[in-house]
Amino acid sequence: MKEKINIAIDGPAGAGKSTVAKLVARKLGYVYIDTGAMYRTLTYKAIKSGVDLHDNGSLNQLLSKAKIELTPEGKVFMGSEEVTELIRTDEVTNSVSFVASQSDVRFEMLTRQQEMAKQGGTVMDGRDIGTAVLPNAEVKIFLSATVEERAKRRYEENLAKGYPSDFEQLKQEIALRDKRDSERETAPLKKADDAIEIDTTNLSIDEVVVAILRIVEERS
Ligand code: CDP
Ligand code: CDP
């Protein structure tokens, strides 16, 4: 049997990370780890508890008491509370990059994520997986796409869920989150030097999955 490796997938919002990472994991029989869901869960808890989203110490204290569980079916739990849908609201989406810029929070998240990947066999997606969490991952992918295309994808996603959104506003929100994620001091969104970049602007989901599986095949 082939040795189980770790695959790191990073990139900005709407580049297709979670969709593609899930499919790659399924194809390989690997575990998909959505690190964004972990930051979203802490953000949800901070909003609910009235904790200042810029207060590194209080957020870290909150995190130290929070058990965050990602199930193989894609559900997210905070302790016994299921938060799968609650962490996807616009309020959480537009606040999460403040929480994610706090250094102590990032250190604790990184420790938990490294523990999850220590046996190999994971496809982990986020912003700093190839650069900070799994610098020795055997395969590192950086997915990109124009902000126009990424906003279009989110727009269509919202429409499919039954609510139309303002395209220009979506574009602005995505650009702002990219800026905050790329400019923060600790582990900013950045392509690792040894990551392979795939521009998905004109690619289908299947084309991206096939491209990644080919890279995995070559490396393992
Ligand atoms: O799916 P989407 O691209 O909207 O975002 P996500 O992957 O759920 O991540 C939400 C936010 O969490 C990002 O905008 C980052 O601020 C933060 N994040 C991070 O800082 N580091 C990670 N490894 C994953 C997410
Ligand atoms: O996780 P991330 O924010 O990077 O993106 P996502 O949530 O996986 O993908 C955003 C949307 O783009 C989803 O509705 C995907 O179906 C769609 N998508 C696409 O249309 N073409 C691709 N090549 C990748 C994703």
PDB file of all heavy atoms in Angstrom, residues 175-202:
ATOM      1  N   ALA A 175     -12.545  41.038  -1.817  1.00  0.00           N
ATOM      2  CA  ALA A 175     -11.275  41.760  -1.978  1.00  0.00           C
ATOM      3  C   ALA A 175     -10.756  42.246  -0.620  1.00  0.00           C
ATOM      4  O   ALA A 175      -9.556  42.177  -0.336  1.00  0.00           O
ATOM      5  CB  ALA A 175     -11.453  42.922  -2.943  1.00  0.00           C
ATOM      6  N   LEU A 176     -11.671  42.688   0.235  1.00  0.00           N
ATOM      7  CA  LEU A 176     -11.281  43.193   1.550  1.00  0.00           C
ATOM      8  C   LEU A 176     -10.735  42.061   2.430  1.00  0.00           C
ATOM      9  O   LEU A 176      -9.725  42.208   3.119  1.00  0.00           O
ATOM     10  CB  LEU A 176     -12.498  43.849   2.214  1.00  0.00           C
ATOM     11  CG  LEU A 176     -12.256  44.591   3.510  1.00  0.00           C
ATOM     12  CD1 LEU A 176     -11.302  45.755   3.283  1.00  0.00           C
ATOM     13  CD2 LEU A 176     -13.588  45.140   4.072  1.00  0.00           C
ATOM     14  N   ARG A 177     -11.412  40.906   2.376  1.00  0.00           N
ATOM     15  CA  ARG A 177     -10.958  39.753   3.179  1.00  0.00           C
ATOM     16  C   ARG A 177      -9.591  39.272   2.675  1.00  0.00           C
ATOM     17  O   ARG A 177      -8.693  38.977   3.462  1.00  0.00           O
ATOM     18  CB  ARG A 177     -12.004  38.628   3.133  1.00  0.00           C
ATOM     19  CG  ARG A 177     -11.740  37.523   4.107  1.00  0.00           C
ATOM     20  CD  ARG A 177     -13.027  36.967   4.664  1.00  0.00           C
ATOM     21  NE  ARG A 177     -13.887  36.400   3.642  1.00  0.00           N
ATOM     22  CZ  ARG A 177     -13.925  35.113   3.339  1.00  0.00           C
ATOM     23  NH1 ARG A 177     -13.141  34.256   3.961  1.00  0.00           N
ATOM     24  NH2 ARG A 177     -14.759  34.654   2.423  1.00  0.00           N
ATOM     25  N   ASP A 178      -9.415  39.238   1.345  1.00  0.00           N
ATOM     26  CA  ASP A 178      -8.104  38.860   0.778  1.00  0.00           C
ATOM     27  C   ASP A 178      -7.022  39.793   1.292  1.00  0.00           C
ATOM     28  O   ASP A 178      -5.925  39.356   1.638  1.00  0.00           O
ATOM     29  CB  ASP A 178      -8.099  39.027  -0.755  1.00  0.00           C
ATOM     30  CG  ASP A 178      -8.893  37.954  -1.468  1.00  0.00           C
ATOM     31  OD1 ASP A 178      -9.353  37.010  -0.807  1.00  0.00           O
ATOM     32  OD2 ASP A 178      -9.051  38.076  -2.699  1.00  0.00           O
ATOM     33  N   LYS A 179      -7.354  41.087   1.321  1.00  0.00           N
ATOM     34  CA  LYS A 179      -6.365  42.082   1.728  1.00  0.00           C
ATOM     35  C   LYS A 179      -5.979  41.854   3.198  1.00  0.00           C
ATOM     36  O   LYS A 179      -4.801  41.807   3.529  1.00  0.00           O
ATOM     37  CB  LYS A 179      -6.956  43.485   1.514  1.00  0.00           C
ATOM     38  CG  LYS A 179      -6.012  44.628   1.797  1.00  0.00           C
ATOM     39  CD  LYS A 179      -6.643  45.947   1.310  1.00  0.00           C
ATOM     40  CE  LYS A 179      -6.182  47.151   2.102  1.00  0.00           C
ATOM     41  NZ  LYS A 179      -4.753  47.384   2.086  1.00  0.00           N
ATOM     42  N   ARG A 180      -6.993  41.681   4.052  1.00  0.00           N
ATOM     43  CA  ARG A 180      -6.707  41.455   5.480  1.00  0.00           C
ATOM     44  C   ARG A 180      -5.913  40.166   5.678  1.00  0.00           C
ATOM     45  O   ARG A 180      -4.979  40.118   6.460  1.00  0.00           O
ATOM     46  CB  ARG A 180      -8.018  41.361   6.276  1.00  0.00           C
ATOM     47  CG  ARG A 180      -8.732  42.675   6.414  1.00  0.00           C
ATOM     48  CD  ARG A 180      -9.870  42.511   7.425  1.00  0.00           C
ATOM     49  NE  ARG A 180     -10.790  43.623   7.351  1.00  0.00           N
ATOM     50  CZ  ARG A 180     -12.103  43.523   7.203  1.00  0.00           C
ATOM     51  NH1 ARG A 180     -12.680  42.337   7.116  1.00  0.00           N
ATOM     52  NH2 ARG A 180     -12.866  44.587   7.164  1.00  0.00           N
ATOM     53  N   ASP A 181      -6.305  39.112   4.953  1.00  0.00           N
ATOM     54  CA  ASP A 181      -5.623  37.819   5.112  1.00  0.00           C
ATOM     55  C   ASP A 181      -4.184  37.874   4.589  1.00  0.00           C
ATOM     56  O   ASP A 181      -3.305  37.202   5.117  1.00  0.00           O
ATOM     57  CB  ASP A 181      -6.389  36.702   4.371  1.00  0.00           C
ATOM     58  CG  ASP A 181      -7.688  36.327   5.071  1.00  0.00           C
ATOM     59  OD1 ASP A 181      -7.852  36.685   6.256  1.00  0.00           O
ATOM     60  OD2 ASP A 181      -8.548  35.685   4.429  1.00  0.00           O
ATOM     61  N   SER A 182      -3.955  38.694   3.548  1.00  0.00           N
ATOM     62  CA  SER A 182      -2.613  38.751   2.945  1.00  0.00           C
ATOM     63  C   SER A 182      -1.688  39.700   3.683  1.00  0.00           C
ATOM     64  O   SER A 182      -0.470  39.559   3.604  1.00  0.00           O
ATOM     65  CB  SER A 182      -2.676  39.230   1.494  1.00  0.00           C
ATOM     66  OG  SER A 182      -3.652  38.545   0.802  1.00  0.00           O
ATOM     67  N   GLU A 183      -2.273  40.686   4.361  1.00  0.00           N
ATOM     68  CA  GLU A 183      -1.423  41.717   4.977  1.00  0.00           C
ATOM     69  C   GLU A 183      -1.191  41.528   6.467  1.00  0.00           C
ATOM     70  O   GLU A 183      -0.470  42.314   7.070  1.00  0.00           O
ATOM     71  CB  GLU A 183      -2.031  43.106   4.693  1.00  0.00           C
ATOM     72  CG  GLU A 183      -1.942  43.456   3.215  1.00  0.00           C
ATOM     73  CD  GLU A 183      -2.491  44.832   2.883  1.00  0.00           C
ATOM     74  OE1 GLU A 183      -3.041  45.485   3.794  1.00  0.00           O
ATOM     75  OE2 GLU A 183      -2.374  45.223   1.715  1.00  0.00           O
ATOM     76  N   ARG A 184      -1.829  40.511   7.073  1.00  0.00           N
ATOM     77  CA  ARG A 184      -1.623  40.346   8.527  1.00  0.00           C
ATOM     78  C   ARG A 184      -0.165  39.929   8.786  1.00  0.00           C
ATOM     79  O   ARG A 184       0.505  39.372   7.906  1.00  0.00           O
ATOM     80  CB  ARG A 184      -2.614  39.330   9.084  1.00  0.00           C
ATOM     81  CG  ARG A 184      -2.353  37.931   8.610  1.00  0.00           C
ATOM     82  CD  ARG A 184      -3.287  36.929   9.265  1.00  0.00           C
ATOM     83  NE  ARG A 184      -3.112  35.642   8.640  1.00  0.00           N
ATOM     84  CZ  ARG A 184      -4.081  34.895   8.124  1.00  0.00           C
ATOM     85  NH1 ARG A 184      -5.328  35.289   8.171  1.00  0.00           N
ATOM     86  NH2 ARG A 184      -3.816  33.735   7.562  1.00  0.00           N
ATOM     87  N   GLU A 185       0.247  40.165  10.043  1.00  0.00           N
ATOM     88  CA  GLU A 185       1.641  39.882  10.388  1.00  0.00           C
ATOM     89  C   GLU A 185       1.925  38.388  10.518  1.00  0.00           C
ATOM     90  O   GLU A 185       2.928  37.888  10.047  1.00  0.00           O
ATOM     91  CB  GLU A 185       1.977  40.554  11.717  1.00  0.00           C
ATOM     92  CG  GLU A 185       2.836  41.781  11.538  1.00  0.00           C
ATOM     93  CD  GLU A 185       2.946  42.548  12.818  1.00  0.00           C
ATOM     94  OE1 GLU A 185       3.420  41.963  13.812  1.00  0.00           O
ATOM     95  OE2 GLU A 185       2.549  43.735  12.817  1.00  0.00           O
ATOM     96  N   THR A 186       1.029  37.682  11.208  1.00  0.00           N
ATOM     97  CA  THR A 186       1.270  36.252  11.461  1.00  0.00           C
ATOM     98  C   THR A 186       0.681  35.381  10.365  1.00  0.00           C
ATOM     99  O   THR A 186      -0.524  35.453  10.105  1.00  0.00           O
ATOM    100  CB  THR A 186       0.642  35.832  12.813  1.00  0.00           C
ATOM    101  OG1 THR A 186       0.910  36.844  13.769  1.00  0.00           O
ATOM    102  CG2 THR A 186       1.177  34.506  13.298  1.00  0.00           C
ATOM    103  N   ALA A 187       1.536  34.573   9.764  1.00  0.00           N
ATOM    104  CA  ALA A 187       1.121  33.586   8.762  1.00  0.00           C
ATOM    105  C   ALA A 187       0.110  34.136   7.752  1.00  0.00           C
ATOM    106  O   ALA A 187      -1.009  33.643   7.655  1.00  0.00           O
ATOM    107  CB  ALA A 187       0.564  32.338   9.457  1.00  0.00           C
ATOM    108  N   PRO A 188       0.501  35.148   6.993  1.00  0.00           N
ATOM    109  CA  PRO A 188      -0.438  35.694   6.011  1.00  0.00           C
ATOM    110  C   PRO A 188      -0.699  34.732   4.842  1.00  0.00           C
ATOM    111  O   PRO A 188       0.084  33.796   4.643  1.00  0.00           O
ATOM    112  CB  PRO A 188       0.291  36.948   5.496  1.00  0.00           C
ATOM    113  CG  PRO A 188       1.721  36.687   5.734  1.00  0.00           C
ATOM    114  CD  PRO A 188       1.809  35.824   6.961  1.00  0.00           C
ATOM    115  N   LEU A 189      -1.767  34.987   4.127  1.00  0.00           N
ATOM    116  CA  LEU A 189      -2.060  34.213   2.915  1.00  0.00           C
ATOM    117  C   LEU A 189      -0.945  34.481   1.915  1.00  0.00           C
ATOM    118  O   LEU A 189      -0.708  35.633   1.529  1.00  0.00           O
ATOM    119  CB  LEU A 189      -3.401  34.687   2.321  1.00  0.00           C
ATOM    120  CG  LEU A 189      -3.696  34.258   0.878  1.00  0.00           C
ATOM    121  CD1 LEU A 189      -3.854  32.744   0.782  1.00  0.00           C
ATOM    122  CD2 LEU A 189      -4.960  34.944   0.365  1.00  0.00           C
ATOM    123  N   LYS A 190      -0.264  33.406   1.526  1.00  0.00           N
ATOM    124  CA  LYS A 190       0.901  33.563   0.659  1.00  0.00           C
ATOM    125  C   LYS A 190       1.179  32.211   0.025  1.00  0.00           C
ATOM    126  O   LYS A 190       1.062  31.183   0.694  1.00  0.00           O
ATOM    127  CB  LYS A 190       2.081  33.990   1.538  1.00  0.00           C
ATOM    128  CG  LYS A 190       3.365  34.324   0.828  1.00  0.00           C
ATOM    129  CD  LYS A 190       4.359  34.835   1.879  1.00  0.00           C
ATOM    130  CE  LYS A 190       5.752  34.981   1.367  1.00  0.00           C
ATOM    131  NZ  LYS A 190       6.431  33.749   1.056  1.00  0.00           N
ATOM    132  N   LYS A 191       1.578  32.215  -1.229  1.00  0.00           N
ATOM    133  CA  LYS A 191       1.942  30.950  -1.870  1.00  0.00           C
ATOM    134  C   LYS A 191       3.290  30.502  -1.302  1.00  0.00           C
ATOM    135  O   LYS A 191       4.227  31.296  -1.259  1.00  0.00           O
ATOM    136  CB  LYS A 191       2.043  31.167  -3.378  1.00  0.00           C
ATOM    137  CG  LYS A 191       2.468  29.958  -4.160  1.00  0.00           C
ATOM    138  CD  LYS A 191       2.689  30.352  -5.615  1.00  0.00           C
ATOM    139  CE  LYS A 191       3.527  29.334  -6.346  1.00  0.00           C
ATOM    140  NZ  LYS A 191       4.854  29.080  -5.789  1.00  0.00           N
ATOM    141  N   ALA A 192       3.381  29.252  -0.852  1.00  0.00           N
ATOM    142  CA  ALA A 192       4.683  28.739  -0.397  1.00  0.00           C
ATOM    143  C   ALA A 192       5.603  28.655  -1.607  1.00  0.00           C
ATOM    144  O   ALA A 192       5.139  28.409  -2.727  1.00  0.00           O
ATOM    145  CB  ALA A 192       4.496  27.345   0.214  1.00  0.00           C
ATOM    146  N   ASP A 193       6.898  28.852  -1.384  1.00  0.00           N
ATOM    147  CA  ASP A 193       7.839  28.838  -2.513  1.00  0.00           C
ATOM    148  C   ASP A 193       7.757  27.542  -3.315  1.00  0.00           C
ATOM    149  O   ASP A 193       7.917  27.544  -4.528  1.00  0.00           O
ATOM    150  CB  ASP A 193       9.284  29.012  -2.005  1.00  0.00           C
ATOM    151  CG  ASP A 193       9.486  30.418  -1.454  1.00  0.00           C
ATOM    152  OD1 ASP A 193       8.710  31.322  -1.832  1.00  0.00           O
ATOM    153  OD2 ASP A 193      10.408  30.598  -0.628  1.00  0.00           O
ATOM    154  N   ASP A 194       7.513  26.441  -2.592  1.00  0.00           N
ATOM    155  CA  ASP A 194       7.480  25.152  -3.291  1.00  0.00           C
ATOM    156  C   ASP A 194       6.057  24.677  -3.601  1.00  0.00           C
ATOM    157  O   ASP A 194       5.847  23.496  -3.895  1.00  0.00           O
ATOM    158  CB  ASP A 194       8.230  24.089  -2.465  1.00  0.00           C
ATOM    159  CG  ASP A 194       7.741  24.012  -1.026  1.00  0.00           C
ATOM    160  OD1 ASP A 194       6.946  24.888  -0.607  1.00  0.00           O
ATOM    161  OD2 ASP A 194       8.137  23.074  -0.315  1.00  0.00           O
ATOM    162  N   ALA A 195       5.077  25.600  -3.560  1.00  0.00           N
ATOM    163  CA  ALA A 195       3.708  25.202  -3.923  1.00  0.00           C
ATOM    164  C   ALA A 195       3.522  25.337  -5.439  1.00  0.00           C
ATOM    165  O   ALA A 195       4.166  26.167  -6.075  1.00  0.00           O
ATOM    166  CB  ALA A 195       2.696  26.103  -3.207  1.00  0.00           C
ATOM    167  N   ILE A 196       2.642  24.510  -5.973  1.00  0.00           N
ATOM    168  CA  ILE A 196       2.317  24.614  -7.393  1.00  0.00           C
ATOM    169  C   ILE A 196       1.038  25.433  -7.514  1.00  0.00           C
ATOM    170  O   ILE A 196       0.022  25.097  -6.899  1.00  0.00           O
ATOM    171  CB  ILE A 196       2.115  23.214  -8.015  1.00  0.00           C
ATOM    172  CG1 ILE A 196       3.429  22.438  -7.923  1.00  0.00           C
ATOM    173  CG2 ILE A 196       1.622  23.310  -9.456  1.00  0.00           C
ATOM    174  CD1 ILE A 196       3.334  20.997  -8.360  1.00  0.00           C
ATOM    175  N   GLU A 197       1.099  26.513  -8.274  1.00  0.00           N
ATOM    176  CA  GLU A 197      -0.083  27.366  -8.410  1.00  0.00           C
ATOM    177  C   GLU A 197      -0.951  26.895  -9.574  1.00  0.00           C
ATOM    178  O   GLU A 197      -0.446  26.604 -10.654  1.00  0.00           O
ATOM    179  CB  GLU A 197       0.337  28.823  -8.629  1.00  0.00           C
ATOM    180  CG  GLU A 197      -0.873  29.730  -8.798  1.00  0.00           C
ATOM    181  CD  GLU A 197      -0.580  31.202  -8.583  1.00  0.00           C
ATOM    182  OE1 GLU A 197       0.560  31.551  -8.230  1.00  0.00           O
ATOM    183  OE2 GLU A 197      -1.523  31.995  -8.785  1.00  0.00           O
ATOM    184  N   ILE A 198      -2.247  26.816  -9.318  1.00  0.00           N
ATOM    185  CA  ILE A 198      -3.195  26.497 -10.391  1.00  0.00           C
ATOM    186  C   ILE A 198      -4.186  27.654 -10.472  1.00  0.00           C
ATOM    187  O   ILE A 198      -4.914  27.920  -9.510  1.00  0.00           O
ATOM    188  CB  ILE A 198      -3.952  25.163 -10.111  1.00  0.00           C
ATOM    189  CG1 ILE A 198      -2.964  24.002  -9.918  1.00  0.00           C
ATOM    190  CG2 ILE A 198      -4.935  24.854 -11.240  1.00  0.00           C
ATOM    191  CD1 ILE A 198      -3.618  22.672  -9.529  1.00  0.00           C
ATOM    192  N   ASP A 199      -4.191  28.336 -11.591  1.00  0.00           N
ATOM    193  CA  ASP A 199      -5.160  29.407 -11.809  1.00  0.00           C
ATOM    194  C   ASP A 199      -6.453  28.751 -12.298  1.00  0.00           C
ATOM    195  O   ASP A 199      -6.506  28.197 -13.393  1.00  0.00           O
ATOM    196  CB  ASP A 199      -4.617  30.392 -12.847  1.00  0.00           C
ATOM    197  CG  ASP A 199      -5.588  31.531 -13.109  1.00  0.00           C
ATOM    198  OD1 ASP A 199      -6.764  31.453 -12.658  1.00  0.00           O
ATOM    199  OD2 ASP A 199      -5.191  32.501 -13.766  1.00  0.00           O
ATOM    200  N   THR A 200      -7.484  28.802 -11.455  1.00  0.00           N
ATOM    201  CA  THR A 200      -8.721  28.066 -11.751  1.00  0.00           C
ATOM    202  C   THR A 200      -9.757  28.924 -12.472  1.00  0.00           C
ATOM    203  O   THR A 200     -10.879  28.456 -12.696  1.00  0.00           O
ATOM    204  CB  THR A 200      -9.362  27.516 -10.446  1.00  0.00           C
ATOM    205  OG1 THR A 200      -9.950  28.619  -9.717  1.00  0.00           O
ATOM    206  CG2 THR A 200      -8.348  26.814  -9.563  1.00  0.00           C
ATOM    207  N   THR A 201      -9.372  30.160 -12.836  1.00  0.00           N
ATOM    208  CA  THR A 201     -10.363  31.092 -13.413  1.00  0.00           C
ATOM    209  C   THR A 201     -11.177  30.445 -14.534  1.00  0.00           C
ATOM    210  O   THR A 201     -12.402  30.569 -14.563  1.00  0.00           O
ATOM    211  CB  THR A 201      -9.663  32.368 -13.944  1.00  0.00           C
ATOM    212  OG1 THR A 201      -8.857  32.902 -12.901  1.00  0.00           O
ATOM    213  CG2 THR A 201     -10.685  33.403 -14.410  1.00  0.00           C
ATOM    214  N   ASN A 202     -10.478  29.736 -15.417  1.00  0.00           N
ATOM    215  CA  ASN A 202     -11.188  29.146 -16.557  1.00  0.00           C
ATOM    216  C   ASN A 202     -11.233  27.630 -16.499  1.00  0.00           C
ATOM    217  O   ASN A 202     -11.387  26.968 -17.527  1.00  0.00           O
ATOM    218  CB  ASN A 202     -10.516  29.600 -17.869  1.00  0.00           C
ATOM    219  CG  ASN A 202     -10.617  31.100 -18.032  1.00  0.00           C
ATOM    220  OD1 ASN A 202     -11.712  31.659 -17.972  1.00  0.00           O
ATOM    221  ND2 ASN A 202      -9.480  31.761 -18.180  1.00  0.00           N
TER     222      ASN A 202
END
